[in-house]
Amino acid sequence: MINVGVLGATGAVGQRFVQLLASHPWFNLQTLTASERSAGKNYRDAVNWRLDEPFPDSVGDIVVSKTDVDSVKGLDIVFSALPADLATNLETDISRAGVAVCSNASSHRMDKNVPLVVPEVNPDHLGLIDLQRDSGNDGFIVTNPNCSTITMVSALNPIQHRGLSDIRVATMQAISGAGFEGISAMSIYDNVIPYIGSEEKKMEAETLKIMGSFDGSVITNAPFSISASCHRVPVIDGHTMAIWVDTKASVEELKNDFRNYKAPFTGLPTQPEKSVLLFEQEDRPQPRLDRNRGRGMTVSVGRIREGVRFIAMGHNTIRGAAGASVLNAELIVSKKYL
Amino acid sequence: MINVGVLGATGAVGQRFVQLLASHPWFNLQTLTASERSAGKNYRDAVNWRLDEPFPDSVGDIVVSKTDVDSVKGLDIVFSALPADLATNLETDISRAGVAVCSNASSHRMDKNVPLVVPEVNPDHLGLIDLQRDSGNDGFIVTNPNCSTITMVSALNPIQHRGLSDIRVATMQAISGAGFEGISAMSIYDNVIPYIGSEEKKMEAETLKIMGSFDGSVITNAPFSISASCHRVPVIDGHTMAIWVDTKASVEELKNDFRNYKAPFTGLPTQPEKSVLLFEQEDRPQPRLDRNRGRGMTVSVGRIREGVRFIAMGHNTIRGAAGASVLNAELIVSKKYL
Amino acid sequence: MINVGVLGATGAVGQRFVQLLASHPWFNLQTLTASERSAGKNYRDAVNWRLDEPFPDSVGDIVVSKTDVDSVKGLDIVFSALPADLATNLETDISRAGVAVCSNASSHRMDKNVPLVVPEVNPDHLGLIDLQRDSGNDGFIVTNPNCSTITMVSALNPIQHRGLSDIRVATMQAISGAGFEGISAMSIYDNVIPYIGSEEKKMEAETLKIMGSFDGSVITNAPFSISASCHRVPVIDGHTMAIWVDTKASVEELKNDFRNYKAPFTGLPTQPEKSVLLFEQEDRPQPRLDRNRGRGMTVSVGRIREGVRFIAMGHNTIRGAAGASVLNAELIVSKKYL
Amino acid sequence: MINVGVLGATGAVGQRFVQLLASHPWFNLQTLTASERSAGKNYRDAVNWRLDEPFPDSVGDIVVSKTDVDSVKGLDIVFSALPADLATNLETDISRAGVAVCSNASSHRMDKNVPLVVPEVNPDHLGLIDLQRDSGNDGFIVTNPNCSTITMVSALNPIQHRGLSDIRVATMQAISGAGFEGISAMSIYDNVIPYIGSEEKKMEAETLKIMGSFDGSVITNAPFSISASCHRVPVIDGHTMAIWVDTKASVEELKNDFRNYKAPFTGLPTQPEKSVLLFEQEDRPQPRLDRNRGRGMTVSVGRIREGVRFIAMGHNTIRGAAGASVLNAELIVSKKYL
């Protein structure tokens, strides 16, 4: 068994990590960290469990540690659900202490030597781990992208080989993306907020890196442009987005690409049966009905139309955050980086 | 005073017509029609009033008529809130009976000789009325566009002179656009429905006609392409949309266009102080906070960004339906077509 | 294996039946009926699956039958998700054809010889089956109560032995209780509807029957009064209710009753680990967080206060409808009525 | 003109005060206070205006003051929208400085010499002002009750003369009652929270004081018991409640009481045409449709049934907070306490 921990285990993404790791077949969840206020309590008492999935009793008695290097030293992998301002230095320090960090934080995503990985899309980017290890320690940082980026690149991946350019994306993002307390009910109920701080820049920059090519030493950005417009809507979980791509392929060819798509690996525990699922009905996918497909790890696409326009939708705190990070860790293990 | 009536006065758009006309300074609301079931009752008893604005007592005693030609013969103007299948023949018959029809129905919007008008955008298209009258009767049909089209063309109008091309629009449309009973709560609560039947085609075709040029005999479509992706979100009133346009103008030039924009007429009773309002805050406009500006007749825009991308939002049953039709009627009167 | 079918298998409760029965360890789901429009199609094509749980592929190829006696003759048990107007005669006819009917419809709940059963509360009422069989056929009807009644009687059951009187209940009921199309979004969004047709009468009459005593031939109503006020709130699933009871027991005694409560049977497949779960936190139970406990079969209670007042909450389409009926069938089988 | 100010003018209740006072016929709004962070800015820039009513431009240039005694000294009346912890000492200090304080804060509501007033219910309780003045200064404090209390006592007032006892009330309260940032969207969307801190105690204690009798020196509590159960539901504005009362009066007598009810005064500017409005339809009142009646000052009642049970609903931030306080001030002026 591989010993793992979660940094920031009481927040919205932290609880998802715990849910996914509590009975994981490869990973032994040993350490949960949180703020000073929670440290020393049993996780059961420290957390206000707010997922609809039941609380995993098996980890209820873990004593919560402070969020620092000492708490996780000796673990094989640590998953980070930290806010970016805390993550920046601490993730570096933890990796230097010899621990593999699989991070959902944005701090290091764009660092030159840090892989920004969606397993189905750019598993070869894990090669950057070797460059991080050149500095002589065993630890490293691997990041997953922003929740809206993951859904988009997962949906573009099966058709990237057709040649894509001039991508536009308008998102309709769920409330949970801002954490349990991030958005007040008075702000979003019966409303749309047409702005999510720095989200558009993240979607644009991260997508170019992820879909870029890696020659063993550097990543060259993907050769297309992206223009994003990001909006919050009153939905609990599930980011929906309208995507336009310029391509010479026909709608029917693209549909077949989606229908025939297979992930480039099998056997990872968190991997869904279908990483990308094409809907043929004209009114799908829909977040409430489709976000839990593949236990929240399937990205759904539909309405492939002339233009070319289509809809993509994915669960933002599972496929778009904690599940993404856990799948990265499984890929890291299966590729023997650990 | 000009005597007017409303066809289909008990539905969602019909109630808006009644609200706007009950104390109109130019129009004397005389006739309200509805289905056979309601005919013969006082409007007060026939209608299940569901607007938050209070029921206008002054029209409560009007006896509801059947929806047919005889009920409205002799009126000066009739406003149509009929569904398209009923509107097609009936609106033609009513206009042939000498009545001016201001219609919110989609049936005749794309007819060659029928003006499809947003007063601020293409008032000159009313010239088509003369062509309808060539056939010898006094009546005519003037239509307003679909609710989402109105918001978009209103927002494009102040910047059209810059030269626009390659327009993309992703809408986040309100529930009321489908009528009081159109969408079940189980369908849309905590959800996005990424499909609205025939809405995308309407937005594309109607916009090209409205923004096209009229040479006195025919309308030539506007010389740009539009690609729409339409989505329903859990909002009561107010359609929000993300719009991309290709233009050589800078973001600052466009902002100034919006700031300096003035409607090409004054003095119409339903006209708002500002037809288009530019927000400078980065998170506006928002439907719940901004839909009632200008008594629901103001289209709000914001977030003009490189790309060029921006947000537009308008009240779909006032500016986008009943209010649009009433403003058309006021323009018709002020231009002496009646 | 026991062969079963579902009457009305495409609606909201029908889909819940299918979800619960598709992989049931005792029941072999053979027959699914629906309206003429759907008959003859594969269930996969006939149904618009709208639960968040994935569609059960194993039953996708069942050819949908018409809803009549012939379609279900020969089955051991048929579950009825029919509307009351259809259920009245058809359920009687089916039972006379020798089939056991476990019905969620309201038609026969108050019939003198028909058991109205919540397994944990009044399993002995199944004795009425013998009286139905006196008429000489093997079939019979067993009903489960209305969704709001089930939650209330489940919550009262552990404390009934204390002596209860003068019960008041104010419900906050979920949208799904009215079926997929029952309530329009314009009606309930940002709103409360303080009326649910005939719900208050059902809660009052059904509770007295269920909590009444059975002497082997007739049921005597429970000796207390109930006054209900029923309201619809914008919640997808899960009926919450505030209950007052007059009792001499102390709050602490009642809490202990809830803590120590055990169902009077074990081993039924649909039975949750805990039929009734007491929350100690002051702000629970909550429908979104707690409705799926015990796979939707647990009734949650909390906030036991002087008064005596408390909160009860249960999943209305699982514990309150389809799951209730399946659990009834399991009880029937375990008690060898079949 | 009477010079007035608002303490805490940027919050949810503070904005309502500003909306109601900006163009008030008797009151001249001179002073707006807020936290240090806002002090010194124009109100226009200090406030994030979040009501759907448009921002009142006439007060946009008022320079925001710090929330202290000096800022309001010399005013005739100050309205307090402060949180209770700030209000306790500051309101006392301001009244001692000779200013009349009309407070929406809970701090002094239960003070022996402080009137807790709903003008239609207990205008005579203003007599306590004289007792406050015994201490020799001109200032005084008058409070209005909690938002849910106001709706209930307003609804009980027309029938109190029938003799009432054993009151039970279950509330379904709106989100805005907790302020703009009080409740996260993740907490309340698709959910009910069956707990509002100290709300039940407030409803019980405040109602007994308001409906109590005043003999010129002390208030004797009303001679009945009240038991409240308070719940938050996903509604923006408008508290709905189910109320039970024991009374010998018949349902028809009570309906007539409501129909014939008239406020004990006329001519106050904020007073609605009808303080209490009886709905005859079985599904009303509803918060979204009825909260704005009487510009938010009308309390709606309906569904008077055997039991006796009925529904009451009022706008919580207008009738239940700022509007209540302004109406108190108008009563104070009309009764010449100033």
Side-chain angles (χ1 to χ4, degrees), chain C residues 168 170 186 189-191 194-195 200 204 227-229 236 244 282-283 285-288 291 303 305 309, chain D residues 168 186 189-191 194-195 200 204 227-229 236 244 282-283 285-288 291 303 305 309:
Chain C
R168 321 276 178 108
M186 287 298 288
Y189 195 56
D190 183 19
N191 206 8
Y195 175 72
E200 294 167 358
E204 293 165 0
S227 177
S229 192
I236 293 282
W244 282 263
E282 65 189 359
D283 64 350
Q286 297 178 13
R288 188 158 56 76
R291 62 195 171 203
R303 300 202 71 217
R305 288 156 290 160
R309 289 162 272 181
Chain D
R168 321 276 178 108
M186 288 298 288
Y189 195 55
D190 183 20
N191 207 10
Y195 175 72
E200 295 167 357
E204 294 165 0
S227 176
S229 191
I236 293 283
W244 282 262
E282 66 190 357
D283 63 350
Q286 296 179 13
R288 188 157 56 77
R291 61 194 171 203
R303 301 201 72 218
R305 289 156 289 160
R309 290 162 270 182

Side-chain angles (χ1 to χ4, degrees), chain A residues 71-109:
Chain A
S71 297
V72 298
K73 208 177 280 182
L75 294 175
D76 298 303
I77 302 175
V78 76
F79 295 95
S80 170
L82 295 177
D85 56 340
L86 285 185
T88 308
N89 292 329
L90 189 59
E91 291 181 2
T92 303
D93 293 346
I94 290 173
S95 73
R96 284 187 183 148
V99 182
V101 178
C102 288
S103 175
N104 184 57
S106 62
S107 311
H108 297 287
R109 285 179 192 154

Side-chain angles (χ1 to χ4, degrees), chain A residues 192-201 229-231, chain B residues 255 278-286 290 301-305 310-311, chain D residues 48:
Chain A
V192 169
I193 303 175
Y195 174 72
I196 303 176
S198 78
E199 190 86 356
E200 295 168 357
K201 283 194 179 354
S229 192
C230 291
H231 321 92
Chain B
K255 282 189 183 177
L278 174 71
F279 280 84
E280 310 277 351
Q281 300 100 304
E282 66 190 356
D283 63 351
R284 298 289 274 268
Q286 297 179 13
D290 300 316
V301 299
R303 299 202 72 216
I304 325 291
R305 288 156 290 161
F310 67 100
I311 304 294
Chain D
N48 179 12

Side-chain angles (χ1 to χ4, degrees), chain A:
Chain A
M1 286 289 278
I2 294 155
N3 292 321
V4 306
V6 175
L7 300 168
T10 56
V13 173
Q15 291 187 23
R16 283 286 179 204
F17 271 120
V18 171
Q19 177 212 341
L20 296 170
L21 293 168
S23 55
H24 194 282
W26 297 0
F27 299 146
N28 177 29
L29 183 55
Q30 287 205 322
T31 304
L32 299 171
T33 85
S35 65
E36 300 255 356
R37 197 168 44 82
S38 298
K41 296 184 189 166
N42 284 350
Y43 184 61
R44 185 189 318 281
D45 302 319
V47 75
N48 179 11
W49 189 258
R50 291 170 71 169
L51 306 184
D52 6 349
E53 289 80 5
F55 180 78
D57 279 315
S58 61
V59 300
D61 294 332
I62 294 180
V63 177
V64 173
S65 314
K66 276 195 299 185
T67 297
D68 60 19
V69 178
D70 285 347
S71 297
V72 298
K73 208 177 280 182
L75 294 175
D76 298 303
I77 302 175
V78 76
F79 295 95
S80 170
L82 295 177
D85 56 340
L86 285 185
T88 308
N89 292 329
L90 189 59
E91 291 181 2
T92 303
D93 293 346
I94 290 173
S95 73
R96 284 187 183 148
V99 182
V101 178
C102 288
S103 175
N104 184 57
S106 62
S107 311
H108 297 287
R109 285 179 192 154
M110 302 307 293
D111 288 3
K112 198 165 62 78
N113 283 353
V114 171
L116 177 60
V117 173
V118 177
E120 290 89 340
V121 181
N122 62 337
D124 60 310
H125 289 203
L126 285 185
L128 284 174
I129 291 174
D130 297 327
L131 300 183
Q132 288 186 56
R133 281 175 162 169
D134 278 359
S135 55
N137 74 74
D138 275 353
F140 55 84
I141 300 175
V142 170
T143 60
N144 57 273
N146 183 43
C147 46
S148 50
T149 308
I150 293 178
T151 295
M152 182 167 71
V153 300
S154 297
L156 293 175
N157 184 39
I159 59 173
Q160 188 182 8
H161 69 102
R162 296 290 183 177
L164 307 177
S165 63
D166 193 11
I167 296 172
R168 321 276 179 109
V169 58
T171 68
M172 291 160 276
Q173 297 184 224
I175 300 162
S176 61
F180 288 137
E181 298 297 330
I183 299 177
S184 74
M186 288 298 288
S187 296
I188 193 63
Y189 195 56
D190 183 21
N191 207 8
V192 169
I193 303 175
Y195 174 72
I196 303 176
S198 78
E199 190 86 356
E200 295 168 357
K201 283 194 179 354
K202 283 183 192 168
M203 281 193 84
E204 293 166 0
E206 294 177 5
T207 299
L208 296 182
K209 178 172 180 180
I210 296 165
M211 304 194 80
S213 55
F214 178 56
D215 65 2
S217 64
V218 297
I219 287 171
T220 305
N221 271 358
F224 46 72
S225 70
I226 309 176
S227 176
S229 192
C230 291
H231 321 92
R232 190 82 65 187
V233 296
V235 166
I236 293 281
D237 289 312
H239 287 355
T240 308
M241 50 198 71
I243 301 173
W244 282 263
V245 294
D246 271 14
T247 173
K248 288 186 176 137
S250 72
V251 165
E252 203 45 50
E253 285 171 330
L254 298 175
K255 282 189 183 177
N256 276 326
D257 285 344
F258 286 121
R259 284 186 198 112
N260 300 329
Y261 174 74
K262 282 193 171 42
F265 48 81
T266 59
L268 302 192
T270 298
Q271 179 180 9
E273 196 192 345
K274 280 174 173 291
S275 295
V276 180
L277 174 65
L278 174 70
F279 280 84
E280 311 276 351
Q281 299 101 304
E282 65 189 357
D283 63 351
R284 297 290 274 268
Q286 297 178 12
R288 187 158 56 79
L289 297 182
D290 300 315
R291 61 195 172 202
N292 288 326
R293 289 178 186 271
R295 284 156 298 122
M297 289 298 288
T298 293
V299 169
S300 297
V301 299
R303 301 202 70 218
I304 325 291
R305 288 156 290 161
E306 297 299 335
V308 171
R309 290 162 272 181
F310 67 99
I311 303 293
M313 195 281 303
H315 194 301
N316 54 300
T317 65
I318 302 178
R319 172 45 98 166
S325 212
V326 172
L327 192 62
N328 275 352
E330 293 168 0
L331 184 71
I332 287 165
V333 170
S334 80
K335 295 215 168 216
K336 316 233 180 269
Y337 281 98
L338 212 73

Side-chain angles (χ1 to χ4, degrees), chain B residues 5 25 53 58 93 104 106 125 127 130 148 171 192 198 228 264 269 273 277 280 282 289 298 312 318 321 332 335:
Chain B
E53 288 81 6
S58 61
D93 293 347
N104 185 57
S106 62
H125 288 204
D130 296 327
S148 50
T171 68
V192 170
S198 77
E273 195 192 346
L277 174 65
E280 310 277 351
E282 66 190 356
L289 297 182
T298 294
I318 301 178
I332 287 166
K335 296 214 168 216

